[in-house]
Amino acid sequence: MVQASGHTSLGSDPNLTHMNKFACRCAIVASIISIIFGYDTGVMSGAQLFIREDLKINDTQIEVLLGILNLCALVGSLTAGKTSDVIGRRYTIALCAVIFLVGSVLMGYGPNYTVLILGRCIAGVGVGFALMIAPVYSAEIASASHRGFLTSLPELCISLGILLGYVSNYCFGKLALKLGWRLMLGIAALPSLILAFGITKMPESPRWLVMQGRLEEAKKIMVLVSNTEEEAEERFRDILTAAEIDEKKNHGTSVWRELLIKPRPAVRLILIAAMGIHFFEHATGIEAVVLYSPRIFKKAGVVSKDKLLLATVGVGLTKTIFIILATFLLDKVGRRKLLLTSTGGMVLALTSLAVSLTMVQRFGRLVWALSLSIVSTYAFVAFFSIGLGPITWVYSSEIFPLRLRAQGASIGVAVNRIMNATVSMSFLSMTEAITTGGAFFVFAGIAVVAWWFFFFMLPETKGLPLEEIEKLFGGGEARGDRDGVEIQTKRVKNYI
Protein backbone atom coordinates (compact mmCIF):
# COMPACT_ATOMS: atom_id res chain seq x y z
CA MET A 1 0.00 0.00 0.00
CA VAL A 2 1.27 3.42 -0.98
CA GLN A 3 0.01 6.25 1.19
CA ALA A 4 0.48 10.02 1.03
CA SER A 5 0.30 12.00 4.23
CA GLY A 6 -2.81 14.12 4.75
CA HIS A 7 -5.32 15.67 7.07
CA THR A 8 -8.56 14.66 8.68
CA SER A 9 -10.87 12.12 7.16
CA LEU A 10 -13.74 13.32 5.00
CA GLY A 11 -16.20 11.53 7.20
CA SER A 12 -15.15 13.45 10.33
CA ASP A 13 -16.45 16.82 9.09
CA PRO A 14 -20.24 16.96 8.59
CA ASN A 15 -19.87 20.10 6.46
CA LEU A 16 -17.92 18.10 3.91
CA THR A 17 -20.22 15.05 3.85
CA HIS A 18 -23.50 17.02 3.73
CA MET A 19 -24.90 17.52 0.23
CA ASN A 20 -25.19 21.15 -0.85
CA LYS A 21 -28.91 21.80 -1.51
CA PHE A 22 -28.34 24.54 -4.07
CA ALA A 23 -26.07 22.30 -6.14
CA CYS A 24 -28.68 19.54 -5.89
CA ARG A 25 -31.47 21.87 -7.11
CA CYS A 26 -29.32 22.98 -10.05
CA ALA A 27 -28.60 19.38 -11.04
CA ILE A 28 -32.31 18.51 -10.82
CA VAL A 29 -33.31 21.42 -13.08
CA ALA A 30 -30.58 20.52 -15.59
CA SER A 31 -31.76 16.92 -15.56
CA ILE A 32 -35.29 17.84 -16.67
CA ILE A 33 -33.93 17.84 -20.20
CA SER A 34 -33.20 14.13 -19.73
CA ILE A 35 -36.85 13.45 -18.83
CA ILE A 36 -37.82 14.75 -22.28
CA PHE A 37 -35.29 12.50 -23.99
CA GLY A 38 -36.39 9.49 -21.95
CA TYR A 39 -40.03 10.20 -22.75
CA ASP A 40 -39.33 10.46 -26.50
CA THR A 41 -37.57 7.08 -26.33
CA GLY A 42 -40.09 5.24 -24.18
CA VAL A 43 -43.28 6.58 -25.75
CA MET A 44 -42.32 5.29 -29.18
CA SER A 45 -42.29 1.73 -27.81
CA GLY A 46 -46.10 1.68 -27.67
CA ALA A 47 -46.86 4.52 -30.09
CA GLN A 48 -45.34 2.53 -32.96
CA LEU A 49 -48.19 0.02 -32.67
CA PHE A 50 -50.75 2.77 -33.34
CA ILE A 51 -48.64 4.69 -35.88
CA ARG A 52 -48.22 1.52 -37.96
CA GLU A 53 -51.99 1.01 -38.02
CA ASP A 54 -52.89 4.67 -38.70
CA LEU A 55 -50.23 5.56 -41.30
CA LYS A 56 -50.04 2.07 -42.84
CA ILE A 57 -46.24 1.75 -42.61
CA ASN A 58 -44.05 -1.36 -42.66
CA ASP A 59 -41.31 -2.81 -40.41
CA THR A 60 -38.50 -1.04 -42.27
CA GLN A 61 -40.22 2.34 -41.85
CA ILE A 62 -40.73 1.59 -38.15
CA GLU A 63 -37.03 0.79 -37.73
CA VAL A 64 -36.11 4.06 -39.46
CA LEU A 65 -38.58 6.00 -37.30
CA LEU A 66 -37.11 4.57 -34.11
CA GLY A 67 -33.46 4.69 -35.15
CA ILE A 68 -33.37 8.11 -36.84
CA LEU A 69 -33.55 9.78 -33.41
CA ASN A 70 -30.11 8.42 -32.60
CA LEU A 71 -28.51 9.22 -35.95
CA CYS A 72 -29.59 12.84 -35.57
CA ALA A 73 -28.43 12.73 -31.93
CA LEU A 74 -24.98 12.00 -33.35
CA VAL A 75 -25.05 15.41 -35.04
CA GLY A 76 -26.28 17.03 -31.83
CA SER A 77 -23.64 15.38 -29.65
CA LEU A 78 -20.73 16.37 -31.89
CA THR A 79 -22.04 19.95 -32.00
CA ALA A 80 -22.89 20.21 -28.31
CA GLY A 81 -19.33 20.09 -26.98
CA LYS A 82 -18.15 23.09 -28.97
CA THR A 83 -21.45 24.91 -28.37
CA SER A 84 -21.21 24.51 -24.60
CA ASP A 85 -17.60 25.73 -24.66
CA VAL A 86 -18.64 28.84 -26.60
CA ILE A 87 -21.99 29.89 -25.07
CA GLY A 88 -21.71 28.08 -21.73
CA ARG A 89 -23.33 25.04 -20.13
CA ARG A 90 -26.48 26.86 -19.00
CA TYR A 91 -27.43 28.37 -22.38
CA THR A 92 -26.70 25.06 -24.09
CA ILE A 93 -29.38 23.49 -21.88
CA ALA A 94 -31.77 26.31 -22.88
CA LEU A 95 -31.03 25.73 -26.57
CA CYS A 96 -31.64 22.02 -26.07
CA ALA A 97 -35.08 22.75 -24.55
CA VAL A 98 -36.07 24.85 -27.58
CA ILE A 99 -34.98 22.09 -29.98
CA PHE A 100 -37.08 19.53 -28.09
CA LEU A 101 -40.06 21.88 -28.10
CA VAL A 102 -40.00 22.23 -31.90
CA GLY A 103 -39.52 18.49 -32.43
CA SER A 104 -42.36 17.55 -30.05
CA VAL A 105 -44.82 19.94 -31.70
CA LEU A 106 -44.04 18.54 -35.15
CA MET A 107 -44.41 14.93 -33.99
CA GLY A 108 -47.67 15.73 -32.21
CA TYR A 109 -48.99 17.32 -35.40
CA GLY A 110 -47.76 14.38 -37.55
CA PRO A 111 -50.21 14.44 -40.50
CA ASN A 112 -48.01 11.97 -42.39
CA TYR A 113 -44.86 9.86 -42.12
CA THR A 114 -42.59 12.58 -43.58
CA VAL A 115 -43.54 15.21 -41.00
CA LEU A 116 -43.27 12.60 -38.24
CA ILE A 117 -39.70 11.76 -39.36
CA LEU A 118 -38.82 15.48 -39.52
CA GLY A 119 -40.01 16.03 -35.95
CA ARG A 120 -38.14 12.93 -34.81
CA CYS A 121 -34.94 14.21 -36.48
CA ILE A 122 -35.18 17.60 -34.75
CA ALA A 123 -35.85 15.91 -31.41
CA GLY A 124 -32.80 13.72 -32.12
CA VAL A 125 -30.53 16.75 -32.33
CA GLY A 126 -31.91 17.76 -28.91
CA VAL A 127 -31.11 14.29 -27.60
CA GLY A 128 -27.47 14.70 -28.61
CA PHE A 129 -27.26 18.00 -26.76
CA ALA A 130 -29.07 16.66 -23.67
CA LEU A 131 -26.95 13.54 -23.28
CA MET A 132 -23.74 15.56 -23.27
CA ILE A 133 -24.67 18.69 -21.34
CA ALA A 134 -26.77 17.43 -18.40
CA PRO A 135 -24.13 15.11 -16.83
CA VAL A 136 -21.27 17.52 -17.61
CA TYR A 137 -23.06 20.43 -15.93
CA SER A 138 -23.98 18.28 -12.91
CA ALA A 139 -20.41 16.97 -12.57
CA GLU A 140 -18.94 20.47 -12.72
CA ILE A 141 -21.08 21.90 -9.92
CA ALA A 142 -20.96 18.84 -7.63
CA SER A 143 -18.49 18.25 -4.82
CA ALA A 144 -16.35 15.09 -5.04
CA SER A 145 -18.26 13.38 -2.21
CA HIS A 146 -21.65 13.66 -3.98
CA ARG A 147 -20.67 13.79 -7.64
CA GLY A 148 -21.86 10.23 -8.29
CA PHE A 149 -25.33 11.02 -6.97
CA LEU A 150 -25.76 14.34 -8.79
CA THR A 151 -24.23 13.15 -12.06
CA SER A 152 -26.49 10.09 -12.11
CA LEU A 153 -29.62 12.27 -11.87
CA PRO A 154 -29.80 12.71 -15.69
CA GLU A 155 -29.88 8.92 -16.12
CA LEU A 156 -32.56 8.68 -13.42
CA CYS A 157 -34.57 11.32 -15.26
CA ILE A 158 -34.16 9.41 -18.53
CA SER A 159 -35.72 6.40 -16.78
CA LEU A 160 -38.52 8.52 -15.35
CA GLY A 161 -39.15 9.83 -18.86
CA ILE A 162 -39.22 6.30 -20.29
CA LEU A 163 -41.67 5.24 -17.57
CA LEU A 164 -43.88 8.27 -18.30
CA GLY A 165 -43.75 7.34 -21.98
CA TYR A 166 -44.96 3.82 -21.19
CA VAL A 167 -47.75 5.16 -18.95
CA SER A 168 -48.71 7.59 -21.72
CA ASN A 169 -48.95 4.64 -24.14
CA TYR A 170 -51.29 2.84 -21.77
CA CYS A 171 -53.51 5.87 -21.06
CA PHE A 172 -53.70 7.55 -24.48
CA GLY A 173 -53.88 4.18 -26.23
CA LYS A 174 -57.53 4.00 -25.17
CA LEU A 175 -58.40 7.14 -27.22
CA ALA A 176 -59.34 7.30 -30.90
CA LEU A 177 -56.57 5.96 -33.14
CA LYS A 178 -55.78 9.26 -34.92
CA LEU A 179 -55.73 11.26 -31.65
CA GLY A 180 -54.08 8.87 -29.19
CA TRP A 181 -50.56 8.49 -30.61
CA ARG A 182 -50.37 12.19 -31.53
CA LEU A 183 -51.07 13.15 -27.92
CA MET A 184 -48.47 10.63 -26.79
CA LEU A 185 -45.80 12.39 -28.87
CA GLY A 186 -46.93 16.03 -28.62
CA ILE A 187 -47.27 16.23 -24.84
CA ALA A 188 -43.45 16.17 -24.55
CA ALA A 189 -43.53 19.90 -25.36
CA LEU A 190 -44.71 20.66 -21.79
CA PRO A 191 -41.48 19.84 -19.90
CA SER A 192 -39.56 21.86 -22.52
CA LEU A 193 -41.54 24.95 -21.49
CA ILE A 194 -40.96 24.20 -17.79
CA LEU A 195 -37.22 23.94 -18.38
CA ALA A 196 -37.17 27.22 -20.33
CA PHE A 197 -38.42 29.00 -17.19
CA GLY A 198 -36.29 26.99 -14.74
CA ILE A 199 -33.07 27.69 -16.61
CA THR A 200 -33.23 31.39 -15.63
CA LYS A 201 -32.67 30.44 -11.96
CA MET A 202 -29.59 28.32 -12.62
CA PRO A 203 -26.01 29.57 -12.34
CA GLU A 204 -23.35 28.91 -14.96
CA SER A 205 -20.77 26.18 -14.34
CA PRO A 206 -17.91 27.71 -12.30
CA ARG A 207 -15.42 25.58 -14.22
CA TRP A 208 -16.63 27.03 -17.54
CA LEU A 209 -16.38 30.55 -16.10
CA VAL A 210 -12.77 29.88 -15.10
CA MET A 211 -12.04 28.78 -18.67
CA GLN A 212 -13.44 32.14 -19.85
CA GLY A 213 -11.33 34.08 -17.35
CA ARG A 214 -14.40 35.23 -15.39
CA LEU A 215 -12.85 34.37 -12.04
CA GLU A 216 -14.95 36.59 -9.75
CA GLU A 217 -18.22 35.12 -11.07
CA ALA A 218 -16.81 31.61 -10.78
CA LYS A 219 -15.76 32.15 -7.17
CA LYS A 220 -19.21 33.50 -6.19
CA ILE A 221 -20.94 30.47 -7.71
CA MET A 222 -18.44 28.10 -6.10
CA VAL A 223 -19.44 29.52 -2.70
CA LEU A 224 -23.11 28.82 -3.52
CA VAL A 225 -22.47 25.17 -4.46
CA SER A 226 -20.12 24.46 -1.52
CA ASN A 227 -21.01 23.96 2.15
CA THR A 228 -18.30 26.20 3.59
CA GLU A 229 -16.12 29.04 2.36
CA GLU A 230 -13.06 26.89 3.05
CA GLU A 231 -14.41 24.12 0.82
CA ALA A 232 -15.25 26.68 -1.89
CA GLU A 233 -11.76 28.16 -1.69
CA GLU A 234 -10.11 24.75 -1.95
CA ARG A 235 -12.25 23.67 -4.89
CA PHE A 236 -11.65 27.00 -6.61
CA ARG A 237 -7.88 26.67 -6.19
CA ASP A 238 -7.98 23.15 -7.64
CA ILE A 239 -9.85 24.43 -10.73
CA LEU A 240 -7.39 27.31 -11.21
CA THR A 241 -4.43 24.96 -10.91
CA ALA A 242 -5.94 22.48 -13.38
CA ALA A 243 -6.79 25.29 -15.83
CA GLU A 244 -3.24 26.67 -15.64
CA ILE A 245 -1.70 23.22 -16.18
CA ASP A 246 -4.00 22.60 -19.15
CA GLU A 247 -3.05 25.96 -20.63
CA LYS A 248 0.67 25.29 -20.27
CA LYS A 249 0.47 21.76 -21.66
CA ASN A 250 -1.71 22.66 -24.60
CA HIS A 251 -0.85 26.25 -25.45
CA GLY A 252 -1.82 26.82 -29.07
CA THR A 253 -3.15 23.26 -29.47
CA SER A 254 -6.76 22.68 -30.50
CA VAL A 255 -8.96 20.48 -28.32
CA TRP A 256 -9.74 18.10 -31.17
CA ARG A 257 -6.03 17.73 -31.98
CA GLU A 258 -5.20 16.84 -28.39
CA LEU A 259 -8.11 14.38 -28.16
CA LEU A 260 -7.84 12.57 -31.48
CA ILE A 261 -4.64 13.38 -33.40
CA LYS A 262 -1.82 13.68 -30.85
CA PRO A 263 -3.27 12.76 -27.45
CA ARG A 264 -1.04 12.36 -24.41
CA PRO A 265 -0.88 8.73 -23.14
CA ALA A 266 -3.24 9.53 -20.25
CA VAL A 267 -5.74 11.27 -22.54
CA ARG A 268 -5.61 8.32 -24.95
CA LEU A 269 -6.51 5.90 -22.13
CA ILE A 270 -9.28 8.22 -20.92
CA LEU A 271 -10.72 8.43 -24.43
CA ILE A 272 -10.62 4.64 -24.82
CA ALA A 273 -12.35 4.21 -21.45
CA ALA A 274 -15.07 6.77 -22.31
CA MET A 275 -15.71 5.39 -25.79
CA GLY A 276 -15.66 1.82 -24.50
CA ILE A 277 -18.22 2.29 -21.76
CA HIS A 278 -20.53 4.18 -24.14
CA PHE A 279 -20.12 1.45 -26.77
CA PHE A 280 -21.01 -1.36 -24.40
CA GLU A 281 -23.95 0.45 -22.79
CA HIS A 282 -26.00 -0.11 -25.95
CA ALA A 283 -24.14 -2.97 -27.63
CA THR A 284 -25.39 -5.21 -24.79
CA GLY A 285 -29.00 -4.75 -25.94
CA ILE A 286 -30.80 -2.38 -23.59
CA GLU A 287 -32.36 -0.47 -26.49
CA ALA A 288 -33.83 -3.68 -27.89
CA VAL A 289 -35.69 -4.18 -24.59
CA VAL A 290 -36.72 -0.53 -24.09
CA LEU A 291 -38.01 -0.02 -27.63
CA TYR A 292 -39.25 -3.48 -28.54
CA SER A 293 -40.42 -4.95 -25.23
CA PRO A 294 -44.03 -5.30 -26.50
CA ARG A 295 -42.72 -7.42 -29.39
CA ILE A 296 -40.49 -9.46 -27.06
CA PHE A 297 -43.41 -10.20 -24.75
CA LYS A 298 -45.57 -11.03 -27.78
CA LYS A 299 -42.93 -13.52 -28.97
CA ALA A 300 -42.93 -15.01 -25.48
CA GLY A 301 -46.69 -15.57 -25.66
CA VAL A 302 -48.47 -12.42 -24.37
CA VAL A 303 -51.23 -11.68 -26.90
CA SER A 304 -53.53 -8.90 -25.55
CA LYS A 305 -52.45 -5.35 -26.53
CA ASP A 306 -53.44 -4.03 -23.08
CA LYS A 307 -51.34 -6.71 -21.37
CA LEU A 308 -48.41 -5.99 -23.69
CA LEU A 309 -48.47 -2.30 -22.78
CA LEU A 310 -48.95 -3.09 -19.08
CA ALA A 311 -45.99 -5.48 -19.10
CA THR A 312 -43.96 -2.72 -20.78
CA VAL A 313 -44.91 -0.30 -17.98
CA GLY A 314 -43.35 -2.86 -15.65
CA VAL A 315 -40.07 -2.55 -17.59
CA GLY A 316 -40.08 1.22 -17.10
CA LEU A 317 -40.95 0.90 -13.40
CA THR A 318 -38.15 -1.61 -12.83
CA LYS A 319 -35.65 0.64 -14.62
CA THR A 320 -36.63 3.67 -12.52
CA ILE A 321 -36.58 1.86 -9.16
CA PHE A 322 -33.11 0.39 -9.69
CA ILE A 323 -31.62 3.64 -10.98
CA ILE A 324 -32.94 5.39 -7.86
CA LEU A 325 -31.15 2.70 -5.84
CA ALA A 326 -27.98 3.22 -7.91
CA THR A 327 -27.91 6.98 -7.22
CA PHE A 328 -27.54 6.27 -3.50
CA LEU A 329 -24.94 3.51 -3.97
CA LEU A 330 -22.57 5.23 -6.40
CA ASP A 331 -20.82 7.39 -3.79
CA LYS A 332 -20.84 4.63 -1.15
CA VAL A 333 -19.99 1.43 -3.04
CA GLY A 334 -18.11 3.08 -5.90
CA ARG A 335 -18.36 2.97 -9.68
CA ARG A 336 -16.19 -0.08 -10.30
CA LYS A 337 -17.87 -2.62 -8.01
CA LEU A 338 -21.35 -1.64 -9.17
CA LEU A 339 -20.31 -1.76 -12.81
CA LEU A 340 -18.79 -5.24 -12.62
CA THR A 341 -21.71 -6.61 -10.60
CA SER A 342 -24.19 -5.04 -13.00
CA THR A 343 -22.51 -6.43 -16.13
CA GLY A 344 -22.17 -9.90 -14.62
CA GLY A 345 -25.89 -9.93 -13.79
CA MET A 346 -26.71 -8.76 -17.33
CA VAL A 347 -24.81 -11.74 -18.78
CA LEU A 348 -26.93 -14.16 -16.74
CA ALA A 349 -30.23 -12.38 -17.47
CA LEU A 350 -29.56 -12.13 -21.23
CA THR A 351 -28.61 -15.80 -21.42
CA SER A 352 -31.77 -16.78 -19.53
CA LEU A 353 -33.92 -14.57 -21.81
CA ALA A 354 -32.30 -16.04 -24.92
CA VAL A 355 -32.92 -19.61 -23.73
CA SER A 356 -36.59 -18.97 -22.86
CA LEU A 357 -37.35 -17.23 -26.17
CA THR A 358 -35.58 -20.01 -28.10
CA MET A 359 -37.70 -22.63 -26.33
CA VAL A 360 -40.91 -20.77 -27.23
CA GLN A 361 -39.71 -20.44 -30.83
CA ARG A 362 -39.02 -24.17 -31.05
CA PHE A 363 -41.85 -25.73 -29.01
CA GLY A 364 -44.62 -23.12 -29.05
CA ARG A 365 -46.31 -21.45 -26.08
CA LEU A 366 -44.86 -22.73 -22.79
CA VAL A 367 -46.02 -21.28 -19.49
CA TRP A 368 -42.64 -21.68 -17.78
CA ALA A 369 -40.81 -20.14 -20.75
CA LEU A 370 -43.24 -17.20 -20.83
CA SER A 371 -42.72 -16.60 -17.11
CA LEU A 372 -38.93 -16.96 -17.41
CA SER A 373 -38.76 -14.55 -20.33
CA ILE A 374 -40.66 -11.86 -18.41
CA VAL A 375 -38.57 -12.37 -15.25
CA SER A 376 -35.36 -12.36 -17.32
CA THR A 377 -36.36 -9.15 -19.09
CA TYR A 378 -37.04 -7.41 -15.78
CA ALA A 379 -33.80 -8.83 -14.29
CA PHE A 380 -31.78 -7.56 -17.26
CA VAL A 381 -33.29 -4.08 -16.93
CA ALA A 382 -32.66 -4.13 -13.16
CA PHE A 383 -28.99 -5.13 -13.47
CA PHE A 384 -28.43 -2.60 -16.25
CA SER A 385 -30.08 0.19 -14.26
CA ILE A 386 -28.17 -0.35 -11.03
CA GLY A 387 -24.80 -0.15 -12.76
CA LEU A 388 -23.98 0.23 -16.44
CA GLY A 389 -26.84 2.64 -17.20
CA PRO A 390 -26.07 5.46 -14.74
CA ILE A 391 -22.32 4.78 -14.44
CA THR A 392 -21.77 5.31 -18.18
CA TRP A 393 -22.80 8.96 -17.82
CA VAL A 394 -21.18 9.53 -14.43
CA TYR A 395 -17.86 8.02 -15.45
CA SER A 396 -17.52 9.61 -18.88
CA SER A 397 -18.40 13.08 -17.59
CA GLU A 398 -15.80 13.02 -14.78
CA ILE A 399 -12.65 11.44 -16.25
CA PHE A 400 -11.69 14.06 -18.87
CA PRO A 401 -9.44 17.00 -17.93
CA LEU A 402 -11.22 20.38 -17.65
CA ARG A 403 -10.15 21.73 -21.04
CA LEU A 404 -11.20 18.53 -22.84
CA ARG A 405 -14.32 17.67 -20.83
CA ALA A 406 -17.09 19.01 -23.06
CA GLN A 407 -15.56 17.82 -26.33
CA GLY A 408 -14.49 14.50 -24.82
CA ALA A 409 -17.96 13.88 -23.43
CA SER A 410 -19.44 14.71 -26.84
CA ILE A 411 -17.29 12.00 -28.46
CA GLY A 412 -18.56 9.49 -25.91
CA VAL A 413 -22.16 10.52 -26.64
CA ALA A 414 -21.51 10.18 -30.38
CA VAL A 415 -20.37 6.57 -29.86
CA ASN A 416 -23.38 6.02 -27.61
CA ARG A 417 -25.82 7.26 -30.24
CA ILE A 418 -24.17 5.28 -33.05
CA MET A 419 -24.59 2.07 -31.07
CA ASN A 420 -28.10 3.03 -30.01
CA ALA A 421 -29.06 3.64 -33.64
CA THR A 422 -27.36 0.41 -34.74
CA VAL A 423 -29.35 -1.69 -32.25
CA SER A 424 -32.60 0.24 -32.79
CA MET A 425 -32.48 -0.04 -36.57
CA SER A 426 -31.20 -3.61 -36.83
CA PHE A 427 -32.98 -5.51 -34.03
CA LEU A 428 -36.03 -6.49 -36.09
CA SER A 429 -33.78 -7.57 -38.97
CA MET A 430 -31.62 -9.55 -36.51
CA THR A 431 -34.66 -11.37 -35.16
CA GLU A 432 -35.71 -12.27 -38.71
CA ALA A 433 -32.23 -13.58 -39.52
CA ILE A 434 -31.26 -15.43 -36.31
CA THR A 435 -34.53 -15.40 -34.24
CA THR A 436 -35.25 -13.26 -31.20
CA GLY A 437 -33.54 -15.76 -28.91
CA GLY A 438 -30.47 -15.77 -31.14
CA ALA A 439 -30.27 -11.96 -30.98
CA PHE A 440 -30.17 -12.09 -27.19
CA PHE A 441 -27.46 -14.77 -27.25
CA VAL A 442 -25.38 -12.25 -29.25
CA PHE A 443 -26.06 -9.54 -26.65
CA ALA A 444 -25.03 -11.95 -23.87
CA GLY A 445 -21.71 -12.61 -25.62
CA ILE A 446 -21.05 -8.89 -26.00
CA ALA A 447 -21.81 -8.42 -22.27
CA VAL A 448 -19.07 -10.95 -21.42
CA VAL A 449 -16.56 -8.90 -23.46
CA ALA A 450 -17.83 -5.75 -21.73
CA TRP A 451 -17.13 -7.20 -18.27
CA TRP A 452 -13.50 -7.87 -19.18
CA PHE A 453 -13.08 -4.41 -20.70
CA PHE A 454 -14.41 -2.76 -17.54
CA PHE A 455 -12.22 -4.94 -15.34
CA PHE A 456 -8.97 -4.03 -17.12
CA MET A 457 -9.62 -0.47 -18.34
CA LEU A 458 -11.75 1.37 -15.75
CA PRO A 459 -10.14 2.31 -12.40
CA GLU A 460 -12.23 3.55 -9.47
CA THR A 461 -13.00 7.31 -9.37
CA LYS A 462 -15.19 7.46 -6.24
CA GLY A 463 -14.46 10.48 -4.03
CA LEU A 464 -11.67 11.84 -6.22
CA PRO A 465 -11.82 15.56 -7.18
CA LEU A 466 -12.31 16.11 -10.92
CA GLU A 467 -8.93 17.79 -11.14
CA GLU A 468 -7.16 14.66 -9.79
CA ILE A 469 -8.79 11.96 -11.92
CA GLU A 470 -6.38 12.24 -14.85
CA LYS A 471 -3.67 10.82 -12.56
CA LEU A 472 -5.47 7.45 -12.57
CA PHE A 473 -4.68 7.14 -16.26
CA GLY A 474 -1.22 8.68 -16.12
CA GLY A 475 0.93 5.54 -15.88
CA GLY A 476 3.14 4.24 -13.10
CA GLU A 477 1.70 3.91 -9.64
CA ALA A 478 -1.85 5.16 -10.40
CA ARG A 479 -2.08 3.00 -13.51
CA GLY A 480 -1.37 -0.09 -11.47
CA ASP A 481 -4.32 0.54 -9.19
CA ARG A 482 -7.21 -1.52 -10.45
CA ASP A 483 -9.16 -1.86 -7.25
CA GLY A 484 -9.76 1.76 -6.46
CA VAL A 485 -8.64 5.09 -5.14
CA GLU A 486 -10.32 6.68 -2.17
CA ILE A 487 -9.89 10.37 -1.42
CA GLN A 488 -10.39 11.64 2.09
CA THR A 489 -10.05 15.41 2.01
CA LYS A 490 -6.28 15.79 1.18
CA ARG A 491 -5.37 12.17 1.88
CA VAL A 492 -4.85 9.82 -1.02
CA LYS A 493 -4.71 6.08 -0.52
CA ASN A 494 -3.85 3.85 -3.45
CA TYR A 495 -4.59 0.19 -2.74
CA ILE A 496 -2.47 -1.96 -4.98
Side-chain angles (χ1 to χ4, degrees):
M1 181 174 72
V2 179
Q3 178 175 315
S5 62
H7 296 82
T8 57
S9 166
L10 179 68
S12 65
D13 187 346
N15 283 324
L16 295 177
T17 57
H18 178 66
M19 183 184 296
N20 181 274
K21 292 180 181 178
F22 183 74
C24 185
R25 286 197 297 269
C26 291
I28 290 171
V29 173
S31 300
I32 290 175
I33 202 73
S34 300
I35 292 180
I36 307 169
F37 159 54
Y39 182 88
D40 276 346
T41 300
V43 75
M44 198 56 78
S45 173
Q48 61 172 297
L49 303 175
F50 304 99
I51 293 170
R52 178 197 298 273
E53 185 179 346
D54 187 20
L55 301 183
K56 312 297 185 210
I57 57 179
N58 56 37
D59 271 357
T60 301
Q61 289 173 303
I62 285 290
E63 282 186 326
V64 171
L65 180 62
L66 296 182
I68 199 72
L69 183 84
N70 297 297
L71 290 179
C72 294
L74 178 62
V75 176
S77 64
L78 292 175
T79 309
K82 183 65 175 176
T83 302
S84 69
D85 278 346
V86 172
I87 68 174
R89 312 320 194 205
R90 184 171 69 146
Y91 287 115
T92 302
I93 294 173
L95 176 62
C96 184
V98 172
I99 294 171
F100 270 127
L101 179 63
V102 174
S104 298
V105 169
L106 280 175
M107 286 191 291
Y109 171 55
N112 53 51
Y113 183 72
T114 302
V115 174
L116 191 60
I117 284 286
L118 177 61
R120 190 86 168 150
C121 285
I122 293 173
V125 175
V127 167
F129 272 80
L131 288 173
M132 190 287 293
I133 194 60
V136 165
Y137 178 85
S138 299
E140 290 189 344
I141 65 169
S143 64
S145 58
H146 294 96
R147 190 174 61 247
F149 177 84
L150 294 183
T151 312
S152 65
L153 287 179
E155 179 67 17
L156 172 59
C157 288
I158 289 172
S159 290
L160 286 172
I162 290 172
L163 177 58
L164 289 173
Y166 290 159
V167 172
S168 173
N169 289 155
Y170 186 71
C171 296
F172 291 127
K174 301 179 185 301
L175 301 178
L177 178 63
K178 291 186 178 296
L179 177 63
W181 68 264
R182 289 181 171 87
L183 281 176
M184 292 176 196
L185 301 180
I187 203 170
L190 291 179
S192 300
L193 290 173
I194 294 171
L195 182 60
F197 287 107
I199 201 76
T200 61
K201 304 295 184 184
M202 289 170 56
E204 184 50 85
S205 160
R207 287 176 168 87
W208 181 80
L209 291 171
V210 167
M211 283 170 34
Q212 304 304 306
R214 295 157 61 177
L215 303 185
E216 286 301 317
E217 292 177 64
K219 193 167 185 178
K220 288 177 183 176
I221 293 170
M222 189 58 79
V223 170
L224 291 175
V225 298
S226 301
N227 290 326
T228 65
E229 289 190 12
E230 291 77 12
E231 180 194 350
E233 185 66 35
E234 185 173 351
R235 290 174 66 186
F236 186 67
R237 281 199 307 269
D238 287 343
I239 296 170
L240 285 178
T241 302
E244 288 170 4
I245 292 171
D246 268 354
E247 186 63 30
K248 288 175 183 176
K249 283 181 180 176
N250 310 294
H251 184 67
T253 304
S254 75
V255 169
W256 288 117
R257 180 178 174 81
E258 191 191 347
L259 275 171
L260 300 175
I261 300 174
K262 291 188 70 176
R264 304 191 309 275
V267 171
R268 185 183 297 112
L269 289 173
I270 288 171
L271 188 61
I272 290 171
M275 293 175 68
I277 195 170
H278 276 288
F279 173 86
F280 286 117
E281 184 190 19
H282 288 288
T284 47
I286 186 62
E287 207 65 19
V289 172
V290 170
L291 285 177
Y292 296 105
S293 49
R295 285 172 175 259
I296 294 169
F297 292 137
K298 191 172 184 178
K299 287 283 186 183
V302 179
V303 180
S304 163
K305 187 179 287 187
D306 264 4
K307 289 181 179 178
L308 285 174
L309 294 177
L310 202 55
T312 304
V313 171
V315 171
L317 194 59
T318 302
K319 197 171 190 298
T320 303
I321 289 171
F322 279 87
I323 285 186
I324 290 173
L325 182 59
T327 60
F328 292 101
L329 292 176
L330 274 167
D331 290 315
K332 292 183 172 65
V333 176
R335 285 64 156 151
R336 183 176 164 80
K337 289 179 183 176
L338 274 182
L339 188 58
L340 294 175
T341 302
S342 163
T343 312
M346 288 165 59
V347 171
L348 296 177
L350 285 166
T351 303
S352 176
L353 178 59
V355 168
S356 60
L357 290 173
T358 300
M359 295 301 290
V360 171
Q361 176 86 15
R362 183 165 297 181
F363 300 108
R365 182 184 171 89
L366 300 168
V367 175
W368 69 265
L370 169 61
S371 302
L372 181 60
S373 65
I374 293 174
V375 170
S376 299
T377 300
Y378 286 179
F380 169 64
V381 171
F383 278 115
F384 173 87
S385 301
I386 205 168
L388 182 55
I391 290 171
T392 295
W393 302 99
V394 173
Y395 203 85
S396 61
S397 65
E398 66 186 3
I399 58 177
F400 285 99
L402 174 61
R403 183 171 179 267
L404 308 179
R405 187 168 299 132
Q407 307 280 48
S410 73
I411 292 174
V413 173
V415 173
N416 189 284
R417 293 301 92 190
I418 289 171
M419 289 313 304
N420 192 310
T422 300
V423 174
S424 302
M425 299 178 79
S426 65
F427 180 69
L428 295 182
S429 302
M430 280 180 68
T431 59
E432 289 294 323
I434 60 174
T435 75
T436 307
F440 282 103
F441 273 123
V442 171
F443 292 140
I446 294 172
V448 172
V449 178
W451 193 95
W452 285 106
F453 177 85
F454 299 151
F455 182 82
F456 285 109
M457 296 301 297
L458 273 62
E460 182 59 77
T461 59
K462 175 174 74 81
L464 193 65
L466 288 177
E467 289 68 35
E468 296 288 328
I469 289 177
E470 186 181 353
K471 294 178 182 178
L472 290 175
F473 298 87
E477 177 183 295
R479 185 77 185 122
D481 174 21
R482 291 298 181 187
D483 292 323
V485 176
E486 182 176 354
I487 299 302
Q488 299 182 343
T489 311
K490 295 182 180 177
R491 177 176 297 169
V492 183
K493 292 183 179 179
N494 289 2
Y495 294 92
I496 59 177

